[in-house]
Amino acid sequence: MEKEMETNKLENGSHLQFFMEKKTPPKISKTAVIKSQLRKNCSCSRERMKKTVMDFFPVLQWLPKYKCKEYIWGDIMSGLVIGIILVPQAIAYSLLAGLKPIYSLYTSFFANIIYFLMGTSRHVSVGIFSLLSLMVGQVVDRELLLAGFDLNDDPHEVTGGRNPLNVTVHNLTLGTMSMECGKECYAIGVATALTFLAGVYQVLMGIFHLGFVSMYLSEPVLDGFATGASVTILTAQVKYLVGIKIPRAQGYGVLITTWVNIFSNISQANVCDVITSTICITVLVTAKELGDRYKDRLKVPLPTELIVIVMATLVSHYGQLKEMYGSSVSGEIPTGFIPPQVPSLTLMQRVAVDALPLAIVGFAFTISLSEMFAKKYAYTVKANQEMFAIGFCNIIPAFFHCFATSAALAKSLVKASTGCQTQVSSLVSAVVVLLVLLFFAPLFFSLQKCVLACIIIVSLRGALRKFKDLPQRYRLDRVDALVWCVTMLSSALISTEMGLLVGVVFSILCIIGRTQRPHAALLGQIENTVFYEDEEEYTNLPVPRVKIFRFEAPLYYANKDFFLKCLHNKTGFDPTIEIARRKKAKKKGQPNSHKGLEHGDTGLSLVTKPRDIQAIIIDCSSIPFLDTAGVSALKETFKDHQEWKVTVLLACCSPCVIASLERGGYSASANKNMHELVFHNIHSAVQFVKERKTTADDSVV
């Protein structure tokens, strides 16, 4: 063991010396570690197989312990409420995805079943999510255009809803089978290929423990992304609100292009759709506001969306709004299930890149919501298992004509507030959706699309309210507010995927910027204490002839020059400049060197200037680590100041910093012991300087 000595001066003037023994880390063979890990992870036994299955299907762990009398009513109630909410949202979000409503219902059904089996969060509601639906819809529309389909083609307008296929056909390979399919078939083929790949990416992230990727999606980035995407979603629904037929814009700048198209065709607005939209938005917003105001009195949230859909469908059907006023309706929604199909390998190659941001956004929202509810209700979730669960919620349903899913905040909050206890509520929600799939889906044939658009827009209230939080966010942290604004604007004005990328990159650049140009300060002693704080912020007593400098960031290659610049500016002494001045002064004084004392030697006056500083103490408490460039900067600082008889000491160094200094040969370059250069607190370093001054004065006397 290595011994380090520390000397402190007590209040009575006596000295206290103590030794600290540093443990020598045990030497472990890397080969032995690898063998141990292989033996642990690659062994096959009955117990290990059982544990693997139990971990992969958490339902096998908690379902046998299910307290039926205590949990069942809460789970049934929350499951019914979420199921009732899911049905209208599923039908509405099909507009965002550019798909038929039946596929949204399939997605809601299978996602709830799989998460019941594999999920670890009791309160998260997994299903269709507006942001993912938008991202899927953008890819679907792009691929439809590239395949030669017309996005304006509406088979229900042409054939009255009796022929579900567009007249254009395209040759598509599904698994090992080649077939000709129309616009609807090709659209769901793109969506399932995209969803399958997103699920594969999520499972691979779980296998290789890449969940740390979500750490780079900070709260300002996610909030800004959600708000920017919500603005895009709102813009995409305006054409349904006013009943005009314009294609969904593609590429960058979708927001601006869509609004230009809307105003260019506003003269074609359908009066019936405008009136219906106004009534529906008024009813939905009023009901939501009343529900928020009296949520403490309401045991169950009002199923406003379902009521609006039922009433609007009845009015549209018996009022013959489609036939009389040309209002666009949802069309035929078949009952039952379509036979499963393998996602197209050909289409997977086309959407492989698009699936990556879809996978990252999906698991980021799911994990963050899972951890939020687990913390609130005092239980634990397994982040890695959540990645597997959401991954298989995409992989398996992709064979059953479903598209991407993740956890959704609004439905999860409703689920928690209605008494949910376990994942059984997901099973109940799946049963509600199943009943709609088997019996009630055709009843929504006459439902106007503008009503679905109203439901989507009103559901964005939470995300759009983030604009009101911007002033508070700015007061808390200006950098976070800037990250939010950049992410929101890029998501809305460029594209959703690019907005997420821009937000992450800009956030990382802000972190780098904070470490490259951090705060630095001179410290003074708080009166009658052993504590030292910033002279600019506190009323402190400066220590005579001692400068105490604090640098609040890691010291590494990117900020070492800024560190030296701050040190010289704060202390008012730059050895390099002083050496250059002395050489210049000596050069000028060579002809009259014998008169130097009479007229005052400039060189001597410069030499006496730094004698106002006896020592510089660098407070390293805010320096978490050093790299080789940082160690070199400290060695250079010590050497330069030593030429001017100025001592440089380090205080409050972490073990990591001390280890870096030892590896870099800091004490060897100074020809001193480490305990004479590094101190455990600032006050010890100050006392050391004062003692040296006293000793030097005594020796002169």
Side-chain angles (χ1 to χ4, degrees):
M1 293 186 178
E2 299 179 7
K3 292 185 177 181
E4 296 180 3
M5 185 181 70
E6 176 73 12
T7 303
N8 284 332
K9 190 173 182 179
L10 303 179
E11 294 181 359
N12 59 9
S14 61
H15 292 277
L16 173 66
Q17 291 187 343
F18 58 90
F19 288 93
M20 295 185 299
E21 295 187 355
K22 187 176 181 181
K23 291 183 177 180
T24 303
K27 295 183 179 180
I28 302 176
S29 172
K30 293 183 178 180
T31 305
V33 173
I34 294 174
K35 288 182 178 179
S36 175
Q37 291 294 326
L38 290 175
R39 191 179 301 110
K40 178 181 178 181
N41 297 321
C42 298
S43 61
C44 185
S45 62
R46 184 176 180 180
E47 291 76 13
R48 181 167 179 77
M49 289 291 293
K50 181 180 178 181
K51 184 179 182 303
T52 301
V53 173
M54 297 282 283
D55 290 341
F56 197 71
F57 295 102
V59 66
L60 300 177
Q61 299 179 25
W62 60 263
L63 191 58
K65 304 175 184 177
Y66 188 80
K67 301 176 182 178
C68 189
K69 293 182 179 179
E70 185 177 347
Y71 294 161
I72 189 64
W73 291 114
D75 285 338
I76 291 177
M77 180 61 67
S78 64
L80 288 174
V81 171
I82 294 299
I84 292 171
I85 294 175
L86 269 177
V87 172
Q89 282 195 354
I91 298 173
Y93 287 169
S94 63
L95 295 181
L96 289 176
L99 302 169
K100 298 302 177 184
I102 189 66
Y103 302 126
S104 299
L105 294 172
Y106 289 159
T107 302
S108 299
F109 172 74
F110 285 105
N112 278 280
I113 293 292
I114 295 171
Y115 193 81
F116 163 76
L117 298 173
M118 301 185 66
T120 59
S121 175
R122 304 172 190 172
H123 298 88
V124 160
S125 176
V126 173
I128 52 174
F129 184 33
S130 58
L131 298 185
L132 297 188
S133 299
L134 174 67
M135 296 171 73
V136 170
Q138 290 175 339
V139 177
V140 168
D141 283 355
R142 185 197 69 200
E143 293 300 320
L144 285 175
L145 282 175
L146 293 175
F149 291 101
D150 186 358
L151 296 184
N152 283 323
D153 286 346
D154 190 346
H156 300 286
E157 300 295 333
V158 176
T159 64
R162 301 307 171 193
N163 182 9
L165 294 180
N166 190 283
V167 294
T168 308
V169 294
H170 191 274
N171 192 46
L172 177 65
T173 302
L174 297 171
T176 59
M177 179 179 60
S178 179
M179 62 176 293
E180 288 185 349
C181 71
K183 179 181 175 182
E184 179 185 341
C185 171
Y186 194 81
I188 190 60
V190 172
T192 55
L194 181 68
T195 301
F196 180 83
L197 278 182
V200 170
Y201 290 156
Q202 289 166 339
V203 171
L204 290 176
M205 288 177 184
I207 292 174
F208 294 105
H209 299 276
L210 298 179
F212 69 89
V213 175
S214 63
M215 293 188 299
Y216 294 99
L217 300 176
S218 61
E219 181 184 354
V221 171
L222 286 176
D223 283 349
F225 171 73
T227 306
S230 298
V231 174
T232 305
I233 293 171
L234 186 149
T235 301
Q237 301 311 303
V238 173
K239 66 178 183 180
Y240 298 110
L241 293 182
V242 298
I244 59 178
K245 293 177 172 56
I246 56 174
R248 181 184 291 185
Q250 295 295 309
Y252 300 136
V254 169
L255 188 77
I256 298 174
T257 305
T258 303
W259 280 109
V260 169
N261 291 335
I262 289 172
F263 285 113
S264 300
N265 296 274
I266 195 66
S267 59
Q268 303 175 10
N270 188 300
V271 178
C272 178
D273 285 343
V274 172
I275 295 174
T276 304
S277 300
T278 304
I279 296 173
C280 289
I281 289 180
T282 302
V283 172
L284 287 169
V285 171
T286 303
K288 292 291 183 183
E289 292 297 328
L290 290 175
D292 291 342
R293 181 174 297 182
Y294 300 106
K295 60 182 179 181
D296 296 332
R297 302 181 184 179
L298 296 173
K299 295 183 179 180
V300 179
L302 296 174
T304 313
E305 292 91 346
L306 186 62
I307 295 173
V308 168
I309 279 185
V310 171
M311 295 302 296
T313 303
L314 292 175
V315 171
S316 176
H317 177 72
Y318 290 105
Q320 297 183 347
L321 300 184
K322 180 180 183 300
E323 292 78 7
M324 297 289 293
Y325 303 101
S327 182
S328 181
V329 298
S330 298
E332 183 179 358
I333 305 177
T335 56
F337 291 90
I338 301 174
Q341 266 180 345
V342 179
S344 170
L345 296 176
T346 304
L347 291 176
M348 287 184 198
Q349 299 173 10
R350 301 176 62 89
V351 299
V353 177
D354 302 291
L356 186 58
L358 197 70
I360 294 175
V361 172
F363 90 74
F365 275 99
T366 302
I367 291 178
S368 60
L369 289 177
S370 299
E371 292 177 346
M372 181 185 77
F373 283 105
K375 183 178 180 180
K376 182 178 180 179
Y377 292 98
Y379 63 91
T380 58
V381 294
K382 298 178 181 178
N384 218 48
Q385 179 60 28
E386 285 296 301
M387 293 177 68
F388 285 130
I390 198 65
F392 281 99
C393 280
N394 286 322
I395 291 176
I396 297 175
F399 292 87
F400 296 90
H401 311 281
C402 303
F403 56 92
T405 59
S406 75
L409 176 60
K411 291 192 288 292
S412 299
L413 290 173
V414 173
K415 190 174 182 178
S417 65
T418 51
C420 173
Q421 299 292 332
T422 66
Q423 294 92 316
V424 170
S425 61
S426 298
L427 194 62
V428 177
S429 300
V431 172
V432 174
V433 177
L434 179 63
L435 292 175
V436 175
L437 278 169
L438 295 179
F439 304 107
F440 303 115
L443 300 178
F444 297 106
F445 175 89
S446 299
L447 178 62
Q448 293 169 271
K449 288 185 178 180
C450 63
V451 177
L452 301 178
C454 292
I455 293 174
I456 293 174
I457 291 174
V458 173
S459 70
L460 301 175
R461 288 164 59 250
L464 295 176
R465 280 177 176 173
K466 297 292 183 181
F467 284 107
K468 295 171 57 178
D469 300 335
L470 185 58
Q472 182 182 3
R473 191 185 295 273
Y474 181 80
R475 288 191 295 268
L476 292 175
D477 193 308
R478 296 181 180 181
V479 176
D480 280 352
L482 184 60
V483 170
W484 185 91
C485 291
V486 169
T487 308
M488 186 274 297
L489 291 174
S490 56
S491 298
L493 299 178
I494 305 176
S495 70
T496 50
E497 296 86 351
M498 188 59 66
L500 182 64
L501 178 61
V502 169
V504 171
V505 172
F506 185 76
S507 179
I508 294 174
L509 289 177
C510 288
I511 296 173
I512 295 174
R514 286 183 172 185
T515 60
Q516 281 188 317
R517 302 185 67 85
H519 180 260
L522 279 184
L523 309 184
Q525 185 176 15
I526 299 176
E527 189 174 5
N528 300 324
T529 68
V530 295
F531 303 109
Y532 299 78
E533 282 301 337
D534 191 343
E535 290 182 350
E536 296 180 358
E537 297 185 10
Y538 298 90
T539 305
N540 300 331
L541 298 176
V543 182
R545 302 185 68 182
V546 176
K547 300 291 185 181
I548 306 172
F549 175 74
R550 175 186 288 167
F551 189 72
E552 300 179 358
L555 183 53
Y556 66 113
Y557 69 94
N559 65 3
K560 65 180 182 63
D561 293 332
F562 185 75
F563 166 81
L564 295 174
K565 180 181 178 181
C566 289
L567 177 64
H568 299 154
N569 289 340
K570 294 291 183 181
T571 59
F573 174 57
D574 187 345
T576 306
I577 295 178
E578 296 299 333
I579 291 173
R581 288 177 178 175
R582 180 172 63 178
K583 290 180 179 179
K584 186 176 181 180
K586 285 183 177 180
K587 187 175 181 181
K588 288 182 178 180
Q590 282 177 358
N592 299 318
S593 60
H594 61 283
K595 297 181 181 180
L597 294 176
E598 296 178 9
H599 298 87
D601 192 344
T602 309
L604 289 176
S605 67
L606 286 171
V607 173
T608 57
K609 179 181 178 182
R611 296 304 297 164
D612 296 337
I613 304 175
Q614 182 183 355
I616 295 176
I617 300 173
I618 301 176
D619 177 14
C620 300
S621 59
S622 299
I623 301 179
F625 68 86
L626 300 171
D627 67 354
T628 53
V631 175
S632 299
L634 291 177
K635 291 163 69 175
E636 177 186 344
T637 301
F638 183 90
K639 180 181 178 182
D640 291 345
H641 286 80
Q642 192 177 36
E643 295 183 9
W644 295 87
K645 309 300 181 184
V646 177
T647 304
V648 176
L649 304 176
L650 307 180
C652 304
C653 296
S654 65
C656 176
V657 171
I658 294 175
S660 298
L661 293 172
E662 290 175 346
R663 289 193 300 268
Y666 181 75
S667 60
S669 64
N671 294 322
K672 292 186 178 182
N673 294 326
M674 188 64 81
H675 70 272
E676 295 179 326
L677 300 171
V678 180
F679 295 83
H680 285 83
N681 55 68
I682 299 174
H683 194 64
S684 299
V686 172
Q687 294 298 324
F688 179 79
V689 173
K690 289 181 178 180
E691 289 175 9
R692 288 190 60 181
K693 181 179 180 298
T694 303
T695 305
D697 292 343
D698 293 341
S699 63
V700 172
V701 174

PDB file of all heavy atoms in Angstrom, residues 7 89 128 160 209 285 449-450 457 527 556 594:
ATOM      1  N   THR A   7      -0.461  17.386   6.165  1.00  0.00           N
ATOM      2  CA  THR A   7      -0.203  18.223   7.331  1.00  0.00           C
ATOM      3  C   THR A   7      -1.208  19.352   7.356  1.00  0.00           C
ATOM      4  O   THR A   7      -1.349  20.095   6.385  1.00  0.00           O
ATOM      5  CB  THR A   7       1.224  18.795   7.292  1.00  0.00           C
ATOM      6  OG1 THR A   7       2.149  17.718   7.198  1.00  0.00           O
ATOM      7  CG2 THR A   7       1.506  19.611   8.538  1.00  0.00           C
ATOM      8  N   GLN A  89     -59.187   7.073 -31.395  1.00  0.00           N
ATOM      9  CA  GLN A  89     -57.833   7.525 -31.724  1.00  0.00           C
ATOM     10  C   GLN A  89     -57.212   6.657 -32.806  1.00  0.00           C
ATOM     11  O   GLN A  89     -56.505   7.153 -33.688  1.00  0.00           O
ATOM     12  CB  GLN A  89     -56.953   7.533 -30.470  1.00  0.00           C
ATOM     13  CG  GLN A  89     -57.208   8.726 -29.568  1.00  0.00           C
ATOM     14  CD  GLN A  89     -56.104   8.926 -28.547  1.00  0.00           C
ATOM     15  OE1 GLN A  89     -55.189   8.114 -28.429  1.00  0.00           O
ATOM     16  NE2 GLN A  89     -56.195   9.999 -27.787  1.00  0.00           N
ATOM     17  N   ILE A 128     -50.817   2.951 -30.697  1.00  0.00           N
ATOM     18  CA  ILE A 128     -50.507   3.958 -31.706  1.00  0.00           C
ATOM     19  C   ILE A 128     -50.145   5.276 -31.024  1.00  0.00           C
ATOM     20  O   ILE A 128     -50.698   5.632 -29.988  1.00  0.00           O
ATOM     21  CB  ILE A 128     -51.695   4.153 -32.660  1.00  0.00           C
ATOM     22  CG1 ILE A 128     -52.975   4.425 -31.871  1.00  0.00           C
ATOM     23  CG2 ILE A 128     -51.866   2.963 -33.578  1.00  0.00           C
ATOM     24  CD1 ILE A 128     -54.150   4.768 -32.718  1.00  0.00           C
ATOM     25  N   GLY A 160     -67.325   4.786 -54.551  1.00  0.00           N
ATOM     26  CA  GLY A 160     -68.320   4.730 -53.479  1.00  0.00           C
ATOM     27  C   GLY A 160     -67.936   3.804 -52.367  1.00  0.00           C
ATOM     28  O   GLY A 160     -68.759   3.381 -51.597  1.00  0.00           O
ATOM     29  N   HIS A 209     -27.165  -3.930 -25.333  1.00  0.00           N
ATOM     30  CA  HIS A 209     -27.237  -2.960 -24.237  1.00  0.00           C
ATOM     31  C   HIS A 209     -26.927  -1.543 -24.723  1.00  0.00           C
ATOM     32  O   HIS A 209     -26.090  -0.835 -24.164  1.00  0.00           O
ATOM     33  CB  HIS A 209     -26.270  -3.352 -23.114  1.00  0.00           C
ATOM     34  CG  HIS A 209     -26.567  -4.690 -22.507  1.00  0.00           C
ATOM     35  ND1 HIS A 209     -27.500  -4.876 -21.510  1.00  0.00           N
ATOM     36  CD2 HIS A 209     -26.071  -5.932 -22.781  1.00  0.00           C
ATOM     37  CE1 HIS A 209     -27.560  -6.150 -21.189  1.00  0.00           C
ATOM     38  NE2 HIS A 209     -26.713  -6.815 -21.950  1.00  0.00           N
ATOM     39  N   VAL A 285     -62.885  20.559 -27.055  1.00  0.00           N
ATOM     40  CA  VAL A 285     -62.075  21.430 -26.199  1.00  0.00           C
ATOM     41  C   VAL A 285     -62.827  21.762 -24.918  1.00  0.00           C
ATOM     42  O   VAL A 285     -62.250  21.743 -23.817  1.00  0.00           O
ATOM     43  CB  VAL A 285     -61.679  22.710 -26.966  1.00  0.00           C
ATOM     44  CG1 VAL A 285     -61.034  23.717 -26.024  1.00  0.00           C
ATOM     45  CG2 VAL A 285     -60.736  22.374 -28.100  1.00  0.00           C
ATOM     46  N   LYS A 449     -64.072  12.457 -42.237  1.00  0.00           N
ATOM     47  CA  LYS A 449     -62.645  12.579 -41.932  1.00  0.00           C
ATOM     48  C   LYS A 449     -62.337  13.854 -41.146  1.00  0.00           C
ATOM     49  O   LYS A 449     -61.376  13.896 -40.381  1.00  0.00           O
ATOM     50  CB  LYS A 449     -61.841  12.559 -43.231  1.00  0.00           C
ATOM     51  CG  LYS A 449     -61.790  11.203 -43.909  1.00  0.00           C
ATOM     52  CD  LYS A 449     -60.883  11.222 -45.129  1.00  0.00           C
ATOM     53  CE  LYS A 449     -60.806   9.841 -45.768  1.00  0.00           C
ATOM     54  NZ  LYS A 449     -59.926   9.831 -46.966  1.00  0.00           N
ATOM     55  N   CYS A 450     -63.135  14.881 -41.327  1.00  0.00           N
ATOM     56  CA  CYS A 450     -62.888  16.113 -40.582  1.00  0.00           C
ATOM     57  C   CYS A 450     -63.081  15.899 -39.081  1.00  0.00           C
ATOM     58  O   CYS A 450     -62.415  16.538 -38.257  1.00  0.00           O
ATOM     59  CB  CYS A 450     -63.784  17.243 -41.091  1.00  0.00           C
ATOM     60  SG  CYS A 450     -65.548  16.966 -40.875  1.00  0.00           S
ATOM     61  N   ILE A 457     -56.253  16.914 -33.615  1.00  0.00           N
ATOM     62  CA  ILE A 457     -55.796  18.258 -33.243  1.00  0.00           C
ATOM     63  C   ILE A 457     -56.008  18.519 -31.753  1.00  0.00           C
ATOM     64  O   ILE A 457     -55.122  19.053 -31.072  1.00  0.00           O
ATOM     65  CB  ILE A 457     -56.521  19.311 -34.106  1.00  0.00           C
ATOM     66  CG1 ILE A 457     -56.033  19.208 -35.549  1.00  0.00           C
ATOM     67  CG2 ILE A 457     -56.299  20.717 -33.561  1.00  0.00           C
ATOM     68  CD1 ILE A 457     -56.774  20.100 -36.518  1.00  0.00           C
ATOM     69  N   GLU A 527     -14.918  35.394   5.757  1.00  0.00           N
ATOM     70  CA  GLU A 527     -14.339  35.873   7.024  1.00  0.00           C
ATOM     71  C   GLU A 527     -14.619  34.905   8.168  1.00  0.00           C
ATOM     72  O   GLU A 527     -15.732  34.408   8.342  1.00  0.00           O
ATOM     73  CB  GLU A 527     -14.915  37.248   7.352  1.00  0.00           C
ATOM     74  CG  GLU A 527     -14.220  37.939   8.518  1.00  0.00           C
ATOM     75  CD  GLU A 527     -14.721  39.361   8.714  1.00  0.00           C
ATOM     76  OE1 GLU A 527     -15.658  39.761   8.002  1.00  0.00           O
ATOM     77  OE2 GLU A 527     -14.170  40.066   9.570  1.00  0.00           O
ATOM     78  N   TYR A 556      -9.045  19.310 -20.539  1.00  0.00           N
ATOM     79  CA  TYR A 556      -8.655  18.383 -21.596  1.00  0.00           C
ATOM     80  C   TYR A 556      -8.212  19.172 -22.814  1.00  0.00           C
ATOM     81  O   TYR A 556      -8.145  20.415 -22.783  1.00  0.00           O
ATOM     82  CB  TYR A 556      -9.800  17.418 -21.914  1.00  0.00           C
ATOM     83  CG  TYR A 556     -11.030  18.034 -22.528  1.00  0.00           C
ATOM     84  CD1 TYR A 556     -11.403  17.739 -23.833  1.00  0.00           C
ATOM     85  CD2 TYR A 556     -11.840  18.912 -21.804  1.00  0.00           C
ATOM     86  CE1 TYR A 556     -12.537  18.295 -24.402  1.00  0.00           C
ATOM     87  CE2 TYR A 556     -12.975  19.469 -22.363  1.00  0.00           C
ATOM     88  CZ  TYR A 556     -13.313  19.160 -23.662  1.00  0.00           C
ATOM     89  OH  TYR A 556     -14.432  19.714 -24.228  1.00  0.00           O
ATOM     90  N   HIS A 594      25.079  50.592 -17.818  1.00  0.00           N
ATOM     91  CA  HIS A 594      25.719  51.105 -16.616  1.00  0.00           C
ATOM     92  C   HIS A 594      24.870  52.186 -15.945  1.00  0.00           C
ATOM     93  O   HIS A 594      25.117  52.559 -14.810  1.00  0.00           O
ATOM     94  CB  HIS A 594      27.099  51.686 -16.962  1.00  0.00           C
ATOM     95  CG  HIS A 594      27.037  52.838 -17.922  1.00  0.00           C
ATOM     96  ND1 HIS A 594      26.827  52.651 -19.272  1.00  0.00           N
ATOM     97  CD2 HIS A 594      27.128  54.188 -17.702  1.00  0.00           C
ATOM     98  CE1 HIS A 594      26.820  53.843 -19.884  1.00  0.00           C
ATOM     99  NE2 HIS A 594      26.997  54.794 -18.934  1.00  0.00           N
TER     100      HIS A 594
END
